Amino acid sequence: MPIYKQNKKKDGKQQYRVIVNYTDRTGQYRQKTKTIYGAAEAADLERRMQLQIAQTVPDASITINELFAEYTEAKRHDVRESTLDKSIRILKCHVLPHIGEIKLQDLNSKRLQQWKNIIAAYDLAVKTKNNIFTELRTMLNYAVKMEYITRNPLIIIGAFKDTEDFSKPQDKLHYYTVEQFKQFIDEAHNHCHSLYEYGYYVFFNIAFYTGMRKGEINALKWSDVENNIIHVHRSVNQKAKGKPVVETPPKNKSSYRDLQAPKQLLTILAEHKQRQRQERTFSDDFRVCGGIKCLSDTGISNANIKIANAAGLPHIRVHDFRHTHATLLINEGINIQEIARRLGHSNVEITWSTYAHLYPREEERAIKILENI
């Protein structure tokens, strides 16, 4: 950083011109110039100017890898641990290997389009690709917020488009009919040779009759079951790699809910509680399905596959039992707002966008009404 002596003096001190060069957040080279009298004063002024610039001008020369480290640390205080873990896994797997070494100031639309082309070639659903896109867009929005860059170049590129043939309606949800569930749960009961195996039987019954999320069912304690009401106010996270099972609040505000349980489920719960009471350490803090510890995600998934195969049924995911619950209620004409409440959705639009196409009986009723005019 140059300091130039000028042909002026004041009070016996030489005048100096102090010049500080720097790069602004857009990557443009800039220059600040000030004059001062005295060599020592000029050196101190240069130091203060450099410090001021360092504090006010973010460094756009950091790489995407460096941004990732800062972004995930900041996000750690704003989201659930499971949400953060998902973001980290997506970014590490699909973003950092391709553009991690690129500096923010060099990240332009061309580079991002090349990255998008790589992701487009993956054998993944469009929804999954757009989840990847959203994670990168959110991280770059953070860079804009921190004034590392002035705009998010990914916005220009745009998200992935679904090129499927929409001329034919496609049901992308998987669920069991009532008859299929009865086959499944009867087979699950046939596999109950121990208290642990009864835990799976109870788990799938709760999933079917309440629509609760997997983490919410796993977190359920006997203290949460009161008469015919199940109080949903906790969840557990088992997805953070290398970390123990963590009890957390539910997914959102609407996920705190009280669910009235049908008689069939209440009977199953009462019988299972009697089984667990045989345990010497039993208390109301026991997990309903697991006991001292909750069931493992892997164990539940394996049991699901094993039971479906034994029952001769198509395999659906554990989360699809939640869809099964919603589908049953929809087909019986239950109000969409009540379904949203039971599922713990933050707004009814989420429920509607997921299940709107599952209202075949409403169409049939509408036709019958018109035909009877």
Side-chain angles (χ1 to χ4, degrees):
M1 304 287 178
I3 299 178
Y4 296 101
K5 184 185 292 186
Q6 304 292 97
N7 294 323
K8 286 185 180 180
K9 286 188 177 183
K10 183 178 180 180
D11 298 330
K13 291 185 176 181
Q14 185 72 45
Q15 186 187 68
Y16 291 91
R17 184 159 62 102
V18 181
I19 301 174
V20 175
N21 299 310
Y22 66 97
T23 303
D24 68 14
R25 62 176 181 268
T26 67
Q28 298 296 313
Y29 289 103
R30 303 293 183 189
Q31 187 179 87
K32 277 193 174 184
T33 302
K34 289 187 177 182
T35 58
I36 195 170
Y37 291 92
E41 288 82 351
D44 182 63
L45 175 61
E46 181 187 38
R47 180 189 61 79
R48 286 186 285 111
M49 288 172 66
Q50 290 174 341
L51 180 61
Q52 182 183 28
I53 290 170
Q55 291 174 339
T56 58
V57 180
D59 185 7
S61 67
I62 67 170
T63 64
I64 298 298
N65 282 329
E66 293 169 325
L67 175 67
F68 165 80
E70 180 183 326
Y71 164 70
T72 51
E73 182 59 32
K75 192 173 181 178
R76 190 177 304 279
H77 308 290
D78 298 329
V79 299
R80 289 160 57 93
E81 188 173 9
S82 57
T83 303
L84 176 64
D85 183 64
K86 179 182 177 183
S87 297
I88 290 174
R89 284 186 285 110
I90 289 175
L91 292 169
K92 278 187 173 182
C93 184
H94 302 298
V95 175
L96 301 187
H98 306 299
I99 60 173
E101 297 301 325
I102 296 178
K103 293 180 179 180
L104 269 177
Q105 63 192 24
D106 298 328
L107 191 66
N108 53 32
S109 299
K110 181 179 179 180
R111 296 270 187 137
L112 287 170
Q113 183 61 57
Q114 291 170 344
W115 168 80
K116 186 181 176 184
N117 292 343
I118 294 172
I119 304 302
Y122 286 0
D123 185 20
L124 298 172
V126 172
K127 182 178 180 181
T128 303
K129 292 175 183 177
N130 277 326
N131 286 341
I132 299 169
F133 181 92
T134 299
E135 289 294 344
L136 177 55
R137 184 185 64 195
T138 305
M139 184 168 71
L140 293 179
N141 283 342
Y142 171 82
V144 174
K145 175 184 173 182
M146 300 308 294
E147 297 185 332
Y148 289 126
I149 50 179
T150 56
R151 62 182 179 84
N152 186 341
L154 191 60
I155 294 174
I156 300 173
I157 302 301
F160 293 91
K161 306 295 183 184
D162 197 336
T163 57
E164 292 181 3
D165 181 7
F166 292 102
S167 60
K168 298 179 182 178
Q170 297 186 14
D171 181 1
K172 296 184 179 180
L173 290 180
H174 300 281
Y175 51 88
Y176 283 151
T177 63
V178 173
E179 292 72 23
Q180 287 175 318
F181 174 74
K182 287 180 177 178
Q183 284 180 251
F184 177 91
I185 210 64
D186 285 346
E187 190 61 45
H189 193 266
N190 291 337
H191 283 74
C192 292
H193 304 298
S194 67
L195 185 60
Y196 196 71
E197 288 168 327
Y198 267 109
Y200 295 125
Y201 171 73
V202 174
F203 178 95
F204 290 115
N205 272 293
I206 295 174
F208 174 79
Y209 284 112
T210 69
M212 289 168 61
R213 299 177 178 92
K214 178 173 61 175
E216 294 169 344
I217 300 174
N218 261 333
L220 199 63
K221 297 181 178 181
W222 288 113
S223 58
D224 300 324
V225 182
E226 185 179 18
N227 297 321
N228 67 335
I229 301 296
I230 295 176
H231 303 288
V232 184
H233 56 91
R234 69 178 96 237
S235 184
V236 292
N237 170 34
Q238 301 186 43
K239 292 184 178 179
K241 291 184 178 180
K243 296 182 180 179
V245 174
V246 178
E247 185 173 300
T248 69
K251 187 173 183 179
N252 52 53
K253 269 186 184 178
S254 301
S255 296
Y256 288 90
R257 59 203 190 277
D258 291 339
L259 300 176
Q260 188 169 342
K263 291 179 181 178
Q264 302 97 308
L265 180 58
L266 292 174
T267 299
I268 291 167
L269 291 175
E271 291 173 350
H272 191 55
K273 190 172 186 179
Q274 284 303 115
R275 293 186 201 100
Q276 285 198 357
R277 282 187 185 280
Q278 306 307 311
E279 296 289 299
R280 185 175 56 83
T281 56
F282 176 81
S283 75
D284 278 353
D285 279 335
F286 261 42
R287 304 288 185 188
V288 170
C289 295
I292 296 175
K293 298 189 297 183
C294 63
L295 300 174
S296 72
D297 285 349
T298 302
I300 295 169
S301 295
N302 290 341
N304 179 31
I305 295 171
K306 180 181 178 181
I307 295 166
N309 289 340
L313 290 168
H315 168 243
I316 64 173
R317 301 172 306 160
V318 174
H319 187 76
D320 292 329
F321 284 83
R322 185 167 158 85
H323 295 324
T324 298
H325 176 78
T327 303
L328 169 63
L329 298 183
I330 287 169
N331 284 331
E332 293 302 324
I334 300 300
N335 186 288
I336 192 74
Q337 288 183 316
E338 171 57 16
I339 295 172
R341 187 194 72 81
R342 288 186 69 83
L343 295 178
H345 283 165
S346 57
N347 60 67
V348 75
E349 285 77 16
I350 295 173
T351 318
W352 183 252
S353 64
T354 306
Y355 301 109
H357 66 293
L358 296 179
Y359 275 84
R361 294 193 183 183
E362 289 300 299
E363 184 177 5
E364 293 169 9
R365 285 178 58 205
I367 292 299
K368 286 181 180 179
I369 290 171
L370 292 172
E371 287 176 345
N372 289 330
I373 292 176

